[in-house]
Amino acid sequence: MEQEWEKISGTVEDVTYHNEESGFTVLLVDVEGDPVTVVGEVPEIAEGEEITATGSYRVHGTYGVQFRAELIERTLPATAGAIRRYLASGAVKGIGPALAGRMVARFGDDTLTIMEKEPERLTEVRGISAEKAQKIGEEYQRQFGIRSVMSLLASLGLPAATAIKAWRRWGTNTADVLKSDPYALCCEEIGVEFEEADRIAAHFGVAGEDPCRLGAGLQYILRVNSRSGHTCLPKGKLLSLAAEFLQAAPESLENTLASLVEDNTLAAYAVGEKEYIYLQPLYRAESYVASRVCIALQLQPPQLEAMEDELDKLEQAQGITYDPVQRRAIAAAVQSRLFILTGGPGTGKTTTLRGILALLEQRGEKVSLAAPTGRAAKRMAEITGREASTIHRLLEVEPKTEVLTFKRGEKNPLPADAVIVDEMSMVDTLLMEHLLRGMRLGARLIMVGDSDQLPSVSAGNVLRDLIQSGLVPCVHLERVFRQAAESLIVTNAHAIVRGEMPELGCRTGDFFFLEQPDVFAQQRLVVDLVSRRLPKSYGYDPLREIQVITPAKQGPLGTRELNRLLQMKLNPPERGKSEATLMGRTLREGDKVMQIRNNYDIIWQLPDGTAGTGIFNGDMGIIEMLDPGSKTIQVRFEEKLATYSFENQDQLEHAYAVTVHKSQGSEFEAVVMPLEHRHPKLHYRNLLYTAVTRARRLLIMTGQKETVYAMVQNNRRTLRYTNQKEMLQEMYNE
């Protein structure tokens, strides 16, 4: 049933709340003598303004009846009294109550017209100089521009939040920019989908083969593919995709692409006879990483020392005996400017890492520890006994910026002599660029990871490319130590990597396989394992200690359906438990959720009152408060309590079940992994391996043995278009 809207008009009596970033506002409006609370998105509104709001009345559990406005249209006050009140409220910078009174006394009902069209006449008012008159005129024109933009985008069917983002980016030029190039709305900062921009462009009469449309389409395809991990695309593949997506002639696309490369909107890089096309930020990132790695390699000592005496003393101090490969890794790490340590579970990576850290500290080096996610950083801190942080926190991410910016960079590098990064397989190309920019040229970078795991969620395949270049010193740990060898999770993980079938018949230990060919019976089995059997047998908390990990999003055993079923079982609706249905799914207090993209502006607070900003891709938490009236959600991420507006709720997903990709960098006490035979594209070895290695103490796999066998046999690596290896080799050999 289509929503029925109504309109109300009145005067703003009070601005109860206003968020400058999102535009979310709570107003007290005089509607024909009755006070009405209006909530919606609008920029820079002030007392005394006349508004018309389109929306509907709703009852808020705490604040009572409110009018939820989908659109707020503003008309300026027309009478002298209303204008005086409007200006006295501070609506226009530089005008207070006294000055507002003098201005209205001089110009009456024409005050706002004078401010807009003849600001120089404001000097007729005592206390206003020519310079101040000019500033008042400019500020009023700026506010008038905001109203024009809001009105224009509302007429095009775009929400107020999009209009606010557009205004922040282009200011008074917004209307001109959109009329000349509607596809500018597709940029990362605003994020309008290409199809929506295409609709607006058609409204403005932009032709199907207009170079503006074709150029925007080419960039859109590159952006979409970057979200799938590609830093670039082969030129032929890009043109083929664009011809189908845009329904445009190949020759027109060729010409447009050539122009975009020529004016540096896009970048081209040739490997042999094949040309690859990049978005500029990703091209700059790969080029910079290659150049910094080359500099580090030039600073490497010509020959590494064995360091036998130093390692013997380290073993005595640590009360441990390293095997020869671990000794070689420790010696190489503390002498190299750039070093990679890899290995699977149980191979002594943690022990080796502790040895590297102890030796660096003995030598007086200041060492910083970091990982891509909060969970991985917390685990790194636990195993080393030292403070560890996310890479974003280490580099001091700048909040409230349109593009990713850090305080640490080439002009303000980290004071560390060495930086050790764990879970390196998760580090994408852009983050690697920022990390290297934030380090001094002579500082060491020690990268620790498992090259057999899936690559980063975002664009790039940094760890694999650096290893395959053959230029960066690397030690791979292979020996599984005795204690770890007692774990079937560990031994099965290594069997999978070797292409061998894991042991599925064991009925004791930490790895169980439950044969179940029927997917709907598997659904019921998974829900029962999480909600009843594992909590009863092992005492696990179903929300905080058990994690369902599945290859797919869609289908009976995909995350969407399993999350729906698990939510109904673990967190059903209850009287007094607030919820909201948004974008076709219901969020409820008590839900387990995951942040699905980095957001550097979300505000959080610790129990001791310490506040900060930034929640990152992969962070998991529990919804503690959901308020439909104020359209806010509070999520507890371990100790951090983060506050979201409803407009940011699309950054949260239910996390009772997550994909294997989303589980990267995390470990869970118990993992339940259902496998469905219907997803052959997701049946490959390193996806299975990554899922198995997420389990710390218990792994239960369900499905058919044939599916497991198919995954083990398929050693297809995730295809990613990158040229990090090629750029590095080319620069090194110059």
Side-chain angles (χ1 to χ4, degrees):
M1 181 177 172
E2 191 174 330
Q3 173 74 54
E4 291 185 11
W5 304 121
E6 59 181 298
K7 288 189 176 185
I8 61 171
S9 298
T11 304
V12 176
E13 293 287 317
D14 182 43
V15 180
T16 308
Y17 174 80
H18 177 70
N19 183 305
E20 289 185 11
E21 292 301 308
S22 65
F24 180 77
T25 306
V26 180
L27 304 171
L28 185 64
V29 180
D30 181 345
V31 180
E32 298 179 351
D34 294 325
V36 176
T37 299
V38 176
V39 295
E41 285 78 31
V42 64
E44 301 186 17
I45 198 164
E47 291 175 25
E49 289 196 56
E50 303 285 338
I51 69 163
T52 298
T54 303
S56 60
Y57 283 99
R58 299 180 187 178
V59 179
H60 182 274
T62 303
Y63 303 110
V65 177
Q66 296 180 331
F67 189 86
R68 170 58 199 176
E70 301 301 320
L71 174 65
I72 297 177
E73 299 169 282
R74 302 153 72 178
T75 53
L76 291 171
T79 65
I83 292 171
R84 183 177 185 279
R85 185 175 174 201
Y86 166 66
L87 294 176
S89 72
V92 179
K93 201 165 166 186
I95 302 176
L99 186 54
R102 294 200 297 273
M103 289 171 65
V104 172
R106 174 67 185 86
F107 298 116
D109 294 352
D110 296 327
T111 303
L112 298 182
T113 304
I114 297 293
M115 289 171 63
E116 179 190 352
K117 298 180 177 176
E118 299 177 89
E120 66 279 358
R121 285 193 58 195
L122 296 176
T123 57
E124 298 173 22
V125 177
R126 179 171 53 86
I128 299 182
S129 64
E131 182 182 359
K132 184 161 186 172
Q134 181 183 350
K135 286 182 178 177
I136 290 173
E138 289 172 353
E139 173 65 12
Y140 186 72
Q141 285 285 356
R142 185 185 71 81
Q143 292 190 11
F144 189 79
I146 294 176
R147 292 188 181 90
S148 300
V149 170
M150 297 289 288
S151 177
L152 171 65
L153 268 68
S155 71
L156 296 171
L158 292 175
T162 300
I164 291 166
K165 290 177 185 175
W167 173 261
R168 278 207 202 95
R169 182 168 172 82
W170 297 301
T172 54
N173 297 321
T174 301
D176 291 336
V177 168
L178 297 187
K179 286 172 183 174
S180 64
D181 181 11
Y183 299 98
L185 289 166
C186 295
C187 67
E188 290 287 347
E189 295 92 328
I190 298 173
V192 170
E193 291 296 320
F194 183 86
E195 291 82 358
E196 185 73 1
D198 222 15
R199 179 184 63 78
I200 293 168
H203 172 82
F204 286 130
V206 177
E209 297 223 355
D210 188 298
C212 171
R213 178 177 184 267
L214 300 186
L218 288 164
Q219 292 174 70
Y220 179 75
I221 290 168
L222 287 170
R223 271 197 299 273
V224 168
N225 277 274
S226 74
R227 294 170 200 154
S228 298
H230 305 294
T231 61
C232 56
L233 284 179
K235 179 181 175 182
K237 185 174 182 68
L238 172 61
L239 290 171
S240 173
L241 290 170
E244 183 179 352
F245 178 65
L246 299 170
Q247 294 295 294
E251 185 179 351
S252 300
L253 287 165
E254 282 259 22
N255 294 335
T256 302
L257 179 57
S259 298
L260 292 173
V261 171
E262 187 177 347
D263 67 13
N264 288 321
T265 300
L266 298 177
Y269 180 76
V271 178
E273 295 183 358
K274 200 166 189 177
E275 195 171 24
Y276 294 83
I277 306 299
Y278 285 81
L279 294 166
Q280 278 289 352
L282 286 166
Y283 178 74
R284 285 194 298 268
E286 278 199 355
S287 302
Y288 183 82
V289 170
S291 65
R292 278 296 298 266
V293 169
C294 281
I295 292 171
L297 293 174
Q298 289 166 8
L299 295 173
Q300 293 278 87
Q303 190 169 354
L304 299 180
E305 300 173 14
M307 295 176 51
E308 297 294 346
D309 290 343
E310 211 167 343
L311 288 169
D312 289 343
K313 290 177 182 175
L314 177 65
E315 287 183 338
Q316 288 180 350
Q318 298 281 315
I320 194 168
T321 300
Y322 299 111
D323 83 348
V325 180
Q326 288 178 309
R327 288 172 70 96
R328 179 160 58 87
I330 296 169
V334 300
Q335 294 178 81
S336 302
R337 294 296 166 192
L338 208 60
F339 177 74
I340 297 173
L341 175 68
T342 71
T347 57
K349 270 205 317 287
T350 296
T351 302
T352 308
L353 173 58
R354 289 192 190 115
I356 292 168
L357 183 56
L359 210 50
L360 288 172
E361 289 177 341
Q362 281 180 27
R363 292 181 163 205
E365 294 197 16
K366 180 177 172 58
V367 184
S368 291
L369 306 181
T373 67
R375 277 180 170 266
K378 183 181 179 185
R379 180 174 166 272
M380 193 181 191
E382 289 169 353
I383 63 175
T384 60
R386 313 290 198 284
E387 182 182 351
S389 67
T390 61
I391 297 173
H392 293 83
R393 185 177 159 206
L394 178 70
L395 298 176
E396 299 176 42
V397 65
E398 293 271 21
K400 303 186 187 303
T401 52
E402 296 294 344
V403 293
L404 180 58
T405 309
F406 295 96
K407 291 179 182 177
R408 295 295 181 179
E410 289 161 318
K411 293 181 180 178
N412 180 33
L414 293 164
D417 301 304
V419 175
I420 303 177
V421 177
D422 198 9
E423 294 288 353
M424 188 64 201
S425 63
M426 297 180 64
V427 175
D428 60 79
T429 298
L430 290 174
L431 187 56
M432 184 66 172
E433 177 198 11
H434 286 296
L435 176 62
L436 291 173
R437 286 189 187 277
M439 292 175 59
R440 293 183 291 107
L441 281 176
R444 304 181 195 283
L445 176 59
I446 297 168
M447 296 166 278
V448 182
D450 187 343
S451 56
D452 291 312
Q453 286 188 20
L454 293 170
S456 58
V457 174
S458 299
N461 207 341
V462 177
L463 182 62
R464 184 205 66 178
D465 288 346
L466 292 180
I467 293 171
Q468 290 190 352
S469 74
L471 297 172
V472 180
C474 177
V475 171
H476 181 65
L477 303 176
E478 293 181 331
R479 176 190 167 194
V480 179
F481 287 87
R482 182 180 60 80
Q483 187 175 356
E486 295 172 1
S487 164
L488 202 53
I489 292 173
V490 171
T491 56
N492 274 345
H494 285 276
I496 290 166
V497 165
R498 294 192 300 268
E500 299 170 5
M501 191 67 174
E503 170 58 57
L504 301 180
C506 186
R507 286 289 173 259
T508 59
D510 58 5
F511 189 116
F512 298 89
F513 182 80
L514 303 182
E515 183 90 27
Q516 180 49 261
D518 182 80
V519 292
F520 296 104
Q522 273 199 76
Q523 281 184 346
R524 295 189 292 273
L525 175 58
V526 167
V527 172
D528 191 42
L529 284 166
V530 174
S531 64
R532 185 183 66 85
R533 289 169 63 173
L534 298 187
K536 182 180 178 181
S537 300
Y538 296 89
Y540 289 139
D541 182 324
L543 288 182
R544 292 170 178 82
E545 294 180 308
I546 304 172
Q547 184 60 55
V548 177
I549 298 177
T550 183
K553 288 185 177 180
Q554 307 292 346
L557 296 176
T559 55
R560 289 179 183 167
E561 184 61 13
L562 288 176
N563 272 317
R564 186 185 69 81
L565 294 170
L566 287 164
Q567 181 194 38
M568 285 300 297
K569 187 67 176 180
L570 298 175
N571 189 36
E574 291 178 12
R575 187 179 183 87
K577 186 184 288 186
S578 188
E579 63 178 51
T581 301
L582 306 161
M583 298 174 64
R585 49 80 186 271
T586 299
L587 291 176
R588 184 175 297 131
E589 289 175 350
D591 272 344
K592 181 179 182 178
V593 292
M594 172 187 276
Q595 174 77 13
I596 60 169
R597 68 178 69 105
N598 292 336
N599 186 321
Y600 311 99
D601 299 332
I602 290 177
I603 298 169
W604 51 259
Q605 192 170 35
L606 297 177
D608 64 4
T610 304
T613 60
I615 299 294
F616 303 112
N617 189 4
D619 288 351
M620 285 189 187
I622 306 291
I623 295 178
E624 288 197 355
M625 185 278 288
L626 190 152
D627 184 357
S630 63
K631 291 185 174 286
T632 56
I633 304 170
Q634 287 190 328
V635 182
R636 176 74 64 183
F637 294 96
E638 295 185 351
E639 292 188 332
K640 296 177 182 175
L641 184 63
T643 302
Y644 291 73
S645 64
F646 271 23
E647 70 178 33
N648 287 329
Q649 56 79 28
D650 62 333
Q651 298 177 22
L652 293 172
E653 284 185 353
H654 287 116
Y656 301 99
V658 299
T659 62
V660 180
H661 283 85
K662 287 295 185 184
S663 72
Q664 278 182 274
S666 299
E667 278 191 346
F668 308 95
E669 291 298 302
V671 168
V672 177
M673 185 182 183
L675 295 175
E676 185 178 356
H677 66 277
R678 297 193 308 170
H679 294 289
K681 287 186 177 179
L682 295 172
H683 292 168
Y684 52 98
R685 188 183 299 171
N686 68 336
L687 184 137
L688 179 63
Y689 172 78
T690 300
V692 168
T693 54
R694 299 308 91 206
R696 185 180 286 131
R697 299 186 185 278
L698 179 67
L699 174 69
I700 298 181
M701 196 180 289
T702 71
Q704 294 176 275
K705 290 179 181 177
E706 291 83 355
T707 307
V708 180
Y709 180 77
M711 296 181 83
V712 171
Q713 292 303 304
N714 183 5
N715 197 25
R716 174 185 69 84
R717 293 282 174 153
T718 307
L719 172 64
R720 292 216 163 170
Y721 291 113
T722 75
N723 288 304
Q724 190 69 80
K725 177 183 77 173
E726 289 76 11
M727 283 187 187
L728 176 54
Q729 290 172 334
E730 181 183 351
M731 287 186 189
Y732 186 79
N733 292 323
E734 282 180 351

